[in-house]
């Protein structure tokens, strides 16, 4: 029996996990998983007391164990936590406050427990409202782990264990201007916006011909699993126009990128223009700073048509008094600590420094993103843009060894993915940059030494100029093979 004082050795914890937890529940760093015992702000601590800089935990949005949020949870838990089918002020006051951050058309909340649950409910609402079934999604997209969302997530159904694409699902190429179907090698951003939007229009026409119209277009406002993708300006405006002409609704999935992560706006869909108004917005991970609360935000028309079926909807825990108190405290911290401004300032600094590193290290092909949602696309060759998958994995491993937690994503898992708590500081940023720079230099020097040894074997002599380059760390156009 756990007493709160018992602490298992890491090997025992891992053994028990392997014995009692489903094998498909994967861990970070599978070869040497971390056992984390506590966390604070942007840092996590393992069982040996090692401190890790957390650059990936977008769940703890306002910092691990934020004291203000913890206090709000404790105070409400000590008074009442109950089924959300009872009247309680926390629920309605939080809904009223949350909606002030949205365009006036988005005026109704449904509270649930996770981003997956939010997207599942949104899909159900869209089908009820439109009377249609066909869904348009983007390639590489992931929208949740429940069955209905696996069906519309190419990130899952096109990979091992997936059952492939259903006939009512239409997959549009993601508007990736660096390595997508159309790229900035051949087109301007304006042309790219039109071309990618036209791909959606073609699918709308196909669905209309086949099924009489479209139910829903669903997309993250900036795509995460696809490799930190930022769409070209005007893309969503054109797409929403095409989808609505086909009778469909438009859903902005803000589970990863909402609540000020992009800095300039509260919601990432707003970066595409002030006139961009989805029919449904889904919220998740950051909403409760790790506590399970999420939401579906929609128009009065969609909410009313969903309610008109006569089928009652309720969610036992969604928006319960404790969850609502925590979510409200998260908004307090975002506003009082000016975390949107911090996301803009630190994100801009990091992006600038990543681009400076690009001039030094040939492995960096592209730097993209906004605020604290950034991606560094690693390549073997800048001309061909061949993904540097093994190199990205190596860098991720070496960063962990130096107590920095980062992750790799994208279809080729070659994109270093930065999405930390919004309290990430300038000193945190400098630590990440210094260690990343050193690792890339280390890789280049190692590759230079390999090349130098090969030349020595072939020629019987060491190229003195090449040797000098190695000692000065100037082999910036070479990437190590790992």
């Amino acid at each position: 029996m756990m007493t709160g004082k018992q602490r298992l050795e890491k090997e025992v914890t891992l053994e028990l996990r392997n014995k009692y937890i489903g094998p498909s529940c994967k861990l970070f760093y599978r070869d040497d998983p971390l056992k984390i015992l506590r966390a604070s702000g942007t840092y996590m601590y393992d069982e040996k007391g090692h401190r890790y800089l957390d650059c990936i935990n977008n769940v703890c949005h306002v910092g691990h164990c934020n004291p203000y949020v913890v206090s709000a949870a404790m105070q409400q838990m000590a008074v009442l936590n109950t089924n959300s089918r009872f009247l309680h002020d926390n629920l309605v006051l939080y809904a009223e406050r949350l909606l002030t951050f949205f365009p006036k058309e988005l005026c109704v909340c449904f509270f649930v427990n996770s981003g997956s649950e939010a997207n599942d409910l949104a899909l159900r609402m869209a089908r009820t409202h439109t009377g249609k079934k066909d869904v348009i999604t983007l390639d590489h997209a992931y929208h949740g782990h429940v069955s209905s969302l696996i069906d519309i997530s190419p990130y899952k159904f096109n990979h091992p264990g997936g059952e492939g694409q259903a006939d009512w699902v239409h997959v549009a190429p993601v508007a990736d201007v660096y390595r997508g179907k159309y790229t900035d090698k051949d087109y301007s951003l304006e042309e790219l916006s039109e071309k990618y939007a036209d791909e959606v229009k073609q699918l709308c026409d196909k669905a209309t011909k086949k099924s009489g119209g479209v139910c829903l277009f669903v997309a993250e406002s900036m795509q995460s699993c696809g490799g930190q993708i930022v769409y070209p300006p005007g893309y969503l405006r054109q797409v929403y126009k095409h989808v609505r002409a086909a009778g469909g609704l438009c859903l902005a999935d803000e589970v990863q990128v909402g609540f000020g992560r992009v800095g300039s706006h509260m919601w990432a869909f707003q970066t595409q223009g002030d006139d961009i108004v989805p029919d449904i917005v889904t919220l998740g991970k950051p909403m409760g700073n790790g506590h399970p609360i999420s939401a579906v935000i929609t128009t009065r028309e969609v909410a009313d048509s969903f309610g008109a079926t006569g089928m009652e909807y309720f969610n036992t825990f969604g928006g319960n008094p404790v969850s609502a108190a925590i979510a409200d405290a998260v908004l307090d911290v975002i506003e009082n600590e000016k975390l949107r401004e911090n996301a803009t300032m630190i994100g801009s600094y990091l992006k600038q420094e990543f681009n400076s590193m690009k001039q030094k290290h040939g492995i960096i092909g592209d730097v993209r993103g906004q605020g604290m949602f950034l991606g560094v696309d690693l390549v073997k060759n800048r001309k061909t843009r061949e993904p540097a998958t093994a190199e990205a994995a190596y860098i991720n491993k070496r960063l962990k060894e130096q107590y920095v937690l980062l992750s790799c994503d994208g279809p080729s898992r070659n994109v270093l993915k930065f999405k930390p708590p919004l309290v990430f500081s300038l000193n945190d940023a400098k630590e990440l940059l210094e260690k990343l720079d050193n690792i890339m230099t280390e890789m280049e020097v190692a590759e230079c030494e390999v090349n130098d040894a090969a030349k020595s074997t072939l020629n019987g002599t060491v190229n003195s100029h090449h040797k000098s380059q190695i000692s000065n760390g100037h082999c910036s156009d070479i990437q190590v093979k790992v």
Side-chain angles (χ1 to χ4, degrees), residues 130 159 166 294 318 344 348 354 397 410 412 438 454 475:
T130 64
H159 287 81
S294 57
T344 296
S348 297
F354 284 145
K397 176 177 176 290
S412 300
N438 287 342
C475 294

Side-chain angles (χ1 to χ4, degrees), residues 167-187:
D167 61 2
W168 51 270
V169 175
H170 308 271
V171 180
V174 62
D176 179 352
V177 304
Y178 184 71
R179 58 171 68 256
K181 182 175 181 178
Y182 312 105
T183 73
D184 55 5
K185 283 183 176 181
D186 303 307
Y187 302 99

Side-chain angles (χ1 to χ4, degrees), residues 72-74 76-78 80-82 90 291 319-327:
M74 292 173 63
Q76 183 57 53
M77 181 67 82
L80 174 71
N81 193 31
T82 188
N90 286 3
H291 182 85
N320 67 72
V322 172
S323 295
I326 290 171

Side-chain angles (χ1 to χ4, degrees), residues 150-151 156-166:
I150 296 296
D151 286 343
K156 290 295 184 182
F157 70 63
N158 276 337
H159 287 81
E163 297 181 356
Q165 184 176 336

Side-chain angles (χ1 to χ4, degrees), residues 102-165:
F102 286 93
K104 65 181 187 305
E105 295 91 339
L106 295 165
C107 59
V108 183
C109 296
F110 291 78
F111 290 110
V112 290
N113 303 290
S114 69
S116 292
E117 197 175 346
N119 280 327
D120 177 73
L121 176 59
L123 179 58
R124 181 178 158 194
M125 293 167 71
R127 284 176 172 163
T128 300
H129 184 75
T130 64
K132 308 296 182 186
K133 186 175 182 180
D134 287 44
V135 173
I136 298 175
T137 187
L138 298 181
D139 202 7
H140 314 306
Y142 173 68
H143 295 289
H145 62 75
V146 299
S147 296
S148 67
L149 303 178
I150 296 296
D151 286 343
I152 62 171
S153 297
Y155 185 78
K156 290 295 184 182
F157 70 63
N158 276 337
H159 287 81
E163 297 181 356
Q165 184 176 336

Side-chain angles (χ1 to χ4, degrees), residues 44-56:
M44 304 180 79
Y45 299 82
D46 69 13
E47 79 284 0
K48 295 180 180 178
H50 295 134
R51 188 192 76 173
Y52 293 84
L53 178 62
D54 184 2
C55 302
I56 58 175

Side-chain angles (χ1 to χ4, degrees), residues 265-300:
H265 298 81
M266 192 66 164
W267 316 114
F269 72 80
Q270 294 171 317
T271 64
Q272 285 271 308
D274 293 337
D275 58 328
I276 304 301
V277 182
D279 301 292
I280 306 175
V281 178
T282 50
L283 310 177
K285 299 179 189 299
M287 190 171 177
N289 209 51
H291 182 85
I293 180 172
S294 57
V296 177
I297 312 297
T298 192
T299 63
R300 174 58 61 187

